[in-house]
Amino acid sequence: MDAGLLVLRAVVGLLVAGHGVQKVSFHLGGHGLAGGTEEFRHDGFRGGRLTAVVAGASQIGAGLFLAAGLLTPLAAMAAMGVMTVAATVKWRKGLWVQNDGYEYPLVLVVVSAALALTGPGRWSVDHRLGLGSWPLWVVLPAIAAGPVSGLLTRAVLHRSAATGAEAGSEAVSGPGAAGGVAGQPEGARDARAAE
């Protein structure tokens, strides 16, 4: 059981962290902070660069803590929050990932909740610190707070459809529109323009 939890934590945690790295750098197929900023603007979020930095840092931190089994309920809460935001972006496309739906973020939310409930196992930092078994009064609020924080983030930072359309037209006609986002390959810029 401990080996299984270690594998699950490591895979899910490192994937969540990898998404964060992509948002703020050119590593793991990312397009740098400018690309992450443009991604959030394209998806209708306010805040630009700050939103990309906070989202990227949250994903990196949550993922690494989850992989290490450190403060597991809080790490799971943060991972659930950022992946709930990702799910809301894909919600209108339906469940399945082949249609760019929310299947993958949903899986990460559920697995993070399951890790909070089971605990990180003996092969974890929490276990080494004597925190291997978290009480339900910590775990259950953390599981509830994860998706709620993601939905609140969406509600506060997401522009209305009209505002989003205006921002999109400004991005297309604004300075540097011809060159696209710095650091993005031509194909990615062409795909963004086509959308």
Side-chain angles (χ1 to χ4, degrees):
M1 179 173 167
D2 293 311
L5 287 171
L6 174 63
V7 170
L8 190 60
R9 280 194 348 257
V11 170
V12 170
L14 293 176
L15 285 174
V16 171
H19 278 280
V21 169
Q22 290 175 331
K23 299 265 188 313
V24 297
S25 76
F26 292 100
H27 298 291
L28 305 179
H31 299 295
L33 185 53
T37 301
E38 176 57 26
E39 179 184 342
F40 277 101
R41 286 184 177 146
H42 179 266
D43 290 335
F45 287 91
R46 298 182 178 92
R49 182 179 293 265
L50 180 60
T51 301
V53 168
V54 171
S58 298
Q59 287 179 316
I60 293 168
L64 292 179
F65 273 51
L66 204 56
L70 174 58
L71 303 178
T72 303
L74 301 179
M77 177 184 73
M80 292 169 71
V82 293
M83 297 318 297
T84 297
V85 174
T88 66
V89 170
K90 298 174 179 294
W91 183 261
R92 288 174 298 157
K93 297 179 180 179
L95 174 63
W96 302 111
V97 73
Q98 68 263 31
N99 299 321
D100 197 29
Y102 60 92
E103 173 188 359
Y104 178 65
L106 176 63
V107 167
L108 293 180
V109 167
V110 172
V111 171
S112 297
L115 285 170
L117 285 168
T118 62
R122 285 187 305 152
W123 299 345
S124 66
V125 176
D126 276 353
H127 184 76
R128 298 284 280 178
L129 296 174
L131 301 171
S133 179
W134 287 86
L136 279 180
W137 63 266
V138 171
V139 172
L140 294 180
I143 290 173
V148 168
S149 68
L151 293 172
L152 286 173
T153 299
R154 167 78 181 208
V156 170
L157 291 181
H158 201 263
R159 295 185 297 263
S160 66
T163 308
E166 290 166 13
S169 66
E170 286 172 14
V172 171
S173 61
V181 176
Q184 277 194 337
E186 283 297 325
R189 288 194 298 253
D190 294 344
R192 291 265 187 227
E195 293 172 351

